Amino acid sequence: MKKNLSAIIFGITIISASLILGNAIINRNKKAGTISVTGLGKTNFTSDLIVWEASFSQVNRDLKEAYADLKKDKETISEYLKSKGLSDDVIVFTAVTTSKNMKQNYSSDGKYLGQEFTGFTLNQTVQINSKEVEKVEKISREVTELLNKGIQLYSMSPRYYYTKLEDLKIEMISRSTDNARLRAESISENSGASLGELIIANMGIFQITGQNSNEDYSWGGAYNTTSKEKTASITMKLTYAVK
């Protein structure tokens, strides 16, 4: 009787061990599937802020006279810009910078004879920050009119920005995420699987390039300021579980 009972217990133990071992092998061989996709969000937009700068200068051996002449130029420039419809709050003049001009003198045989003071150069810059993009663009092209007033104004190329950039980023993230999920759903359906939960989401670099330009993307993120018409883009890399 004891022998039969021992045999039964031993048999049950063997069967249980076999089931446990078999289940372990099945679970070990059953790998959790994942799928990784990259989505792109992209849109065109028009800059709503322009920054334009121009510099002017005066040269004189007498510092006071140079400053007085520069001040007259500043007043003339300010009046001109206001006559074009710009308000005081968008016109900013930087502080005056002063430098000494020195001439290097040499003898006929090339021997250095020292420096000679030739005068002072005073520089100042006027900067316009405005949402009236087209108006400032027009002024930047017509500013050579000041030459008729005896002012040499060195105009720089306007820079263009967008004041709703944070809202645009959020929109681009949403678009790129939707695009990535559509790709993941398409791949999983074609492979006969079903898409599970989102495991990992990594955002790429936000890029702003000139519209229809050949600009290269940058690892640090391109930020075009030379084009009024721009293109914003961002990528999202998503990893999903698949069943």
Side-chain angles (χ1 to χ4, degrees):
M1 181 69 178
K2 288 182 179 180
K3 289 182 180 181
N4 291 336
L5 183 59
S6 297
I8 293 170
I9 293 172
F10 179 74
I12 293 172
T13 301
I14 292 297
I15 293 170
S16 299
S18 299
L19 289 173
I20 292 170
L21 181 60
N23 189 50
I25 293 171
I26 292 170
N27 287 336
R28 186 183 64 189
N29 293 330
K30 186 178 181 181
K31 297 179 180 177
T34 60
I35 182 173
S36 294
V37 291
T38 300
L40 174 65
K42 192 174 184 180
T43 190
N44 294 327
F45 66 96
T46 302
S47 304
D48 63 356
L49 177 69
I50 185 171
V51 177
W52 170 62
E53 293 177 318
S55 64
F56 54 103
S57 62
Q58 282 287 345
V59 179
N60 200 306
R61 291 184 67 89
D62 187 286
L63 184 59
K64 289 184 178 180
E65 288 183 12
Y67 183 77
D69 291 339
L70 194 73
K71 186 177 180 182
K72 289 179 184 177
D73 288 349
K74 175 185 174 183
E75 292 170 354
T76 302
I77 293 167
S78 181
E79 290 173 6
Y80 173 82
L81 294 174
K82 290 176 186 177
S83 72
K84 294 295 183 178
L86 295 179
S87 58
D88 277 323
D89 59 339
V90 302
I91 304 172
V92 179
F93 287 91
T94 63
V96 178
T97 60
T98 306
S99 59
K100 282 185 177 182
N101 303 324
M102 306 299 292
K103 179 183 176 183
Q104 310 299 320
N105 293 320
Y106 296 88
S107 64
S108 58
D109 58 356
K111 185 179 179 180
Y112 179 64
L113 301 177
Q115 294 180 325
E116 177 188 353
F117 173 71
T118 60
F120 293 97
T121 296
L122 273 62
N123 289 283
Q124 196 165 15
T125 299
V126 59
Q127 184 182 88
I128 309 298
N129 297 269
S130 175
K131 289 189 176 182
E132 296 181 292
V133 177
E134 292 182 0
K135 178 185 287 187
V136 176
E137 278 183 325
K138 188 171 185 291
I139 293 172
S140 71
R141 293 191 296 267
E142 297 175 348
V143 75
T144 50
E145 293 173 348
L146 284 170
L147 289 173
N148 297 326
K149 299 179 182 293
I151 298 175
Q152 292 187 355
L153 196 69
Y154 302 94
S155 178
M156 304 172 198
S157 299
R159 303 192 303 273
Y160 300 92
Y161 300 92
Y162 190 59
T163 59
K164 301 175 183 176
L165 203 56
E166 290 306 313
D167 294 337
L168 189 65
K169 284 183 181 180
I170 293 171
E171 180 186 344
M172 291 298 94
I173 291 170
S174 176
R175 287 191 184 188
S176 58
T177 301
D178 291 343
N179 180 259
R181 182 172 179 83
L182 285 173
R183 294 185 183 193
E185 288 174 346
S186 176
I187 294 172
S188 60
E189 287 175 6
N190 290 334
S191 62
S194 60
L195 201 63
E197 64 180 5
L198 177 64
I199 300 173
I200 301 172
N202 290 317
M203 185 175 69
I205 300 298
F206 188 63
Q207 307 275 358
I208 296 179
T209 56
Q211 205 171 115
N212 302 317
S213 71
N214 294 321
E215 288 180 73
D216 292 329
Y217 288 104
S218 166
W219 287 108
Y223 195 143
N224 176 286
T225 60
T226 59
S227 302
K228 181 169 67 174
E229 303 296 331
K230 304 181 192 294
T231 299
S233 62
I234 195 169
T235 57
M236 285 292 293
K237 184 176 181 181
L238 307 180
T239 300
Y240 288 94
V242 290
K243 299 179 263 184

